[in-house]
């Protein structure tokens, strides 16, 4: 009950809020998905499309979620109901998304910890062997132990609370993350033939441009900005009324996009130089855990750079996982009037129960399939390809057509701040964003059933 009587926690100011939200946004999506998509979809042209989408579509969705959070001062579970009583169902869906994501994200976080430990302890060369990754994730005990370690780190920060945990760690880790990225990029620039690799990354290749470029950029932006996961609503609910939201949204987007671009500079040229164009075709886990260790093996000082790189990935994944866990814990706290500790314990129990199949699905439980997918892939599909675009679509309908965009624009301008791109916002939230979200839903579904390739 104590939470009920206590005032809601809040970030101490604009910077704490921006860095925490940027911490959520910058994650595996920036480091393992953006570089690969950029290489795949025509380099510079993909980057350009991505930036335009971030400034329009991303700006509209992020402003909406943060404003809903700050206005209602509720976590996602209750925020939608507070806006409109018929939209309570959306709250449940929005709260379900982080519950599905957290367990499998922490399983992958565990893999990152394993690689970080391997590289930092000087064993990086062993990670370049073909059997290293499949043997590790196919094992029963050790991925579970690394999963528990990653989840443990996440839980400790959540237990410390909004100010002493999330805000403090974000203020420390985010600048460090940026610094590490810059150091690695500088190193990559000094590699022999770096210019060729950079050209491959940046030069627009129009022959690779198609409608799919736009679909891929849209999906990537959506995931990368942590939209429709309940996170921005939760963090918005912790932002103080005197914080300038337009400025904050811009800063969060800029931070996220800069790290994505830097990741491209870290990964694409190095992979291109050492494994040729074919190497850049590896995506996701394959790129990070199989191709990159091979690249580090061939580089001078590769074990050291590899260690820096996996520390960076670890920090990025950690600040993302704390944001997902916080979205769940705050929903439990608000909905059931529980203390932070009790909510965290319940969240941990659910996470362990759902994480175990995600981990074992790569090994002893690999024969169990859901819609033809192992557990981890299935949870990823369910959240990213179905629930998130659906939640975002309902949100734009609620804000654009039912309660009206003024609810958001009034919240953003309530202290007399100007809202830049206000007209654009209205058009985006009413017309463009819903259409784009329907396109995302359709293209993901078609891709899932092999009708198109993304
Ligand atoms: N924005 C994150 C990224 O780019 C995605 C994410 C955030 C995923 C939080 C899970 C939890 O990786």
């Amino acid at each position: 009950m104590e939470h009920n009587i206590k005032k809601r926690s809040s970030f101490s100011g604009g910077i704490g809020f921006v860095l925490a939200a940027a911490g959520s946004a910058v994650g595996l999506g920036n480091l393992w998905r953006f570089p690969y998509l950029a290489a795949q979809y025509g380099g510079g042209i993909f980057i350009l499309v991505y930036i335009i989408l971030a400034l329009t579509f991303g700006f509209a969705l992020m402003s909406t979620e943060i404003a809903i959070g700050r206005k209602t001062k509720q976590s996602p579970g209750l925020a939608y109901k507070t806006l409109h009583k018929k939209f309570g169902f959306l709250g449940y869906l929005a709260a379900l998304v982080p519950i599905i994501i957290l367990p499998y994200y922490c399983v992958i976080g565990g893999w990152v910890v394993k690689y970080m430990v391997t590289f930092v302890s000087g064993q990086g060369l062993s990670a370049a062997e073909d059997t290293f990754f499949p043997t590790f994730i196919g094992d029963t005990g050790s991925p579970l132990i690394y999963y528990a370690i990653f989840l443990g780190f996440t839980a400790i920060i959540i237990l410390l609370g909004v100010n002493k945990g999330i805000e403090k760690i974000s203020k420390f880790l985010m600048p460090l993350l940026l610094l590490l990225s810059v150091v690695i990029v500088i190193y990559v620039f000094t590699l022999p033939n770096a210019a060729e690799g950079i050209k491959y990354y940046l030069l627009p290749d129009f022959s690779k441009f198609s409608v799919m470029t736009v679909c891929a950029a849209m999906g990537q932006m959506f995931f990368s900005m942590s939209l429709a996961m309940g996170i921005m609503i939760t963090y918005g609910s912790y932002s103080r009324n005197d914080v300038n939201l337009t400025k904050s949204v811009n800063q969060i987007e800029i931070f996220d996009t800069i790290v994505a671009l830097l990741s491209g500079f870290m990964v694409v040229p190095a992979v291109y130089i050492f494994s040729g164009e074919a190497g850049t075709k590896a995506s996701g886990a394959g790129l990070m855990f199989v191709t990159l260790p091979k690249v580090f093996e061939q580089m001078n000082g590769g074990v050291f750079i590899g260690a820096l790189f996996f520390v960076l990935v670890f920090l990025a994944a950690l600040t993302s996982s704390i944001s997902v866990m916080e979205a769940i814990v705050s929903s439990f706290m608000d909905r059931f009037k529980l203390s932070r500790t009790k909510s965290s314990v319940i969240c941990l129990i659910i996470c362990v129960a759902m994480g175990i199949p995600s981990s074992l699905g790569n090994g002893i439980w690999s024969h169990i399939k859901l819609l033809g997918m192992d557990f981890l892939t299935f949870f990823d599909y369910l959240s990213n390809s179905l629930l998130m675009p659906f939640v975002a679509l309902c949100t734009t309908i609620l804000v654009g057509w039912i309660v009206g965009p003024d609810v958001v624009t009034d919240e953003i301008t309530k202290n007399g701040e100007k809202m830049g791109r206000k007209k654009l916002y209205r058009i985006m939230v009413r017309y463009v964003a819903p259409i784009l979200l329907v396109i995302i839903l359709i293209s993901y579904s078609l891709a899932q059933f092999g009708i198109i390739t993304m």
Side-chain angles (χ1 to χ4, degrees):
M1 276 314 221
E2 67 250 60
H3 173 66
N4 212 14
I5 310 158
K6 268 199 229 151
K7 222 172 112 252
R8 188 175 189 79
S9 317
S10 71
F11 292 120
S12 61
I15 298 201
F17 166 58
V18 167
L19 289 181
S24 171
V26 173
L28 295 174
N30 303 57
L31 293 158
W32 86 9
R33 220 161 154 252
F34 184 88
Y36 142 78
L37 287 175
Q40 195 78 347
Y41 285 101
I45 185 71
F46 176 86
I47 297 172
L48 185 69
V49 172
Y50 183 88
I51 291 176
I52 293 173
L53 283 170
L55 292 174
T56 51
F57 182 48
F59 149 79
L61 290 179
M62 192 181 286
S63 303
T64 304
E65 290 198 17
I66 292 177
I68 290 179
R70 190 172 77 174
K71 182 179 169 65
T72 61
K73 293 275 181 283
Q74 296 283 354
S75 45
L78 291 178
Y80 287 102
K81 196 170 168 191
T82 311
L83 273 189
H84 194 284
K85 50 180 190 325
K86 288 217 170 113
F87 275 73
F89 79 94
L90 196 51
Y92 288 106
L93 279 185
L96 185 64
V97 173
I99 295 179
I100 297 175
I101 294 180
L102 182 66
Y104 82 79
Y105 202 79
C106 287
V107 169
I108 302 173
W111 301 350
V112 174
V113 175
K114 163 79 178 178
Y115 273 67
M116 181 174 76
V117 170
T118 306
F119 274 87
V120 170
S121 62
Q123 313 290 306
L125 293 184
S126 63
E129 282 162 27
D130 282 332
T131 50
F132 187 86
F133 183 59
T135 310
F136 167 63
I137 62 166
D139 190 14
T140 304
S142 81
L144 283 177
I145 293 171
Y146 283 104
Y147 164 61
I149 294 173
F150 187 83
L151 181 59
F153 273 118
T154 308
I156 290 172
I157 299 162
I158 295 302
L159 283 168
L160 287 171
V162 174
N163 294 112
K164 292 204 191 103
I166 302 172
E167 180 170 352
K168 219 174 180 178
I169 199 105
S170 306
K171 277 183 167 165
F172 171 63
L173 291 187
M174 294 316 287
L176 180 63
L177 188 145
L178 208 54
L179 181 74
L180 274 177
S181 313
V182 172
V183 170
I184 300 175
V185 170
I186 293 176
Y187 180 82
V188 169
F189 279 18
T190 63
L191 290 173
N193 300 332
E196 255 173 72
I198 296 168
K199 244 205 244 150
Y200 178 75
Y201 171 48
L202 285 185
L203 266 193
D205 177 350
F206 290 96
S207 70
K208 291 184 187 159
F209 183 84
S210 71
V211 182
M212 290 318 292
T213 311
V214 183
C215 286
M218 229 152 43
Q220 167 63 12
M221 192 223 64
F222 192 67
F223 180 76
S224 187
M225 306 233 160
S226 299
L227 298 167
M229 300 180 184
I231 293 171
M232 290 301 162
I233 296 184
T234 309
Y235 279 9
S237 78
Y238 298 146
S239 83
R240 288 197 339 209
N241 284 340
D242 56 2
V243 167
N244 183 327
L245 290 190
T246 315
K247 218 165 102 192
S248 305
V249 169
N250 287 341
Q251 288 168 345
I252 299 164
E253 291 197 332
I254 291 171
F255 204 116
D256 186 62
T257 308
I258 286 182
V259 177
L261 291 174
L262 287 176
S263 319
F265 278 117
M266 272 182 249
V267 173
V268 181
V271 172
Y272 184 76
I273 296 166
F274 291 106
S275 334
E277 191 167 349
T280 65
K281 299 269 188 293
S283 63
L287 175 65
M288 179 150 298
F289 298 114
V290 181
T291 312
L292 278 177
K294 289 188 196 298
V295 168
F296 293 133
E297 184 195 26
Q298 297 176 59
M299 269 182 196
N300 274 335
V303 172
F304 178 69
I305 286 294
L308 285 189
F309 179 77
F310 282 106
V311 170
L312 167 73
V313 182
F314 169 69
L315 302 182
L318 185 65
T319 48
S320 291
S321 71
I322 58 179
S323 72
V324 205
M325 182 158 176
E326 180 62 22
I328 304 171
V329 168
S330 75
S331 283
F332 287 170
M333 286 167 71
D334 291 345
R335 179 74 183 74
F336 305 114
K337 309 273 181 281
L338 292 174
S339 67
R340 174 166 288 273
T341 315
K342 277 190 195 143
S343 305
S344 305
V345 171
I346 298 173
C347 177
L348 275 176
I349 295 173
I350 299 175
C351 188
V352 169
M354 288 171 63
I356 289 173
S358 291
S359 183
L360 298 184
N362 293 297
I364 53 168
W365 286 0
S366 58
H367 56 284
I368 307 175
K369 300 279 184 222
L370 304 168
L371 294 182
M373 294 172 253
D374 61 68
F375 285 101
L376 196 156
T377 315
F378 175 74
F379 288 138
D380 182 50
Y381 167 71
L382 187 63
S383 51
N384 275 310
S385 306
L386 290 181
L387 284 174
M388 283 161 50
F390 182 71
V391 167
L393 177 63
C394 295
T395 307
T396 54
I397 292 170
L398 170 66
V399 171
W401 296 94
I402 297 176
V403 294
D406 284 352
V407 169
V408 166
T409 53
D410 289 352
E411 175 63 32
I412 292 177
T413 54
K414 76 174 173 196
N415 298 316
E417 296 106 342
K418 273 226 168 94
M419 178 178 177
R421 292 173 280 171
K422 194 167 173 178
K423 265 210 189 110
L424 174 76
Y425 174 77
R426 291 171 162 281
I427 299 172
M428 285 307 298
V429 82
R430 292 185 71 136
Y431 306 102
V432 185
I435 295 172
L436 293 182
L437 287 161
V438 170
I439 297 176
I440 293 185
L441 264 172
I442 296 175
S443 61
Y444 274 3
S445 308
L446 295 181
Q448 187 59 38
F449 296 105
I451 301 169
I452 53 172
T453 43
M454 275 185 86

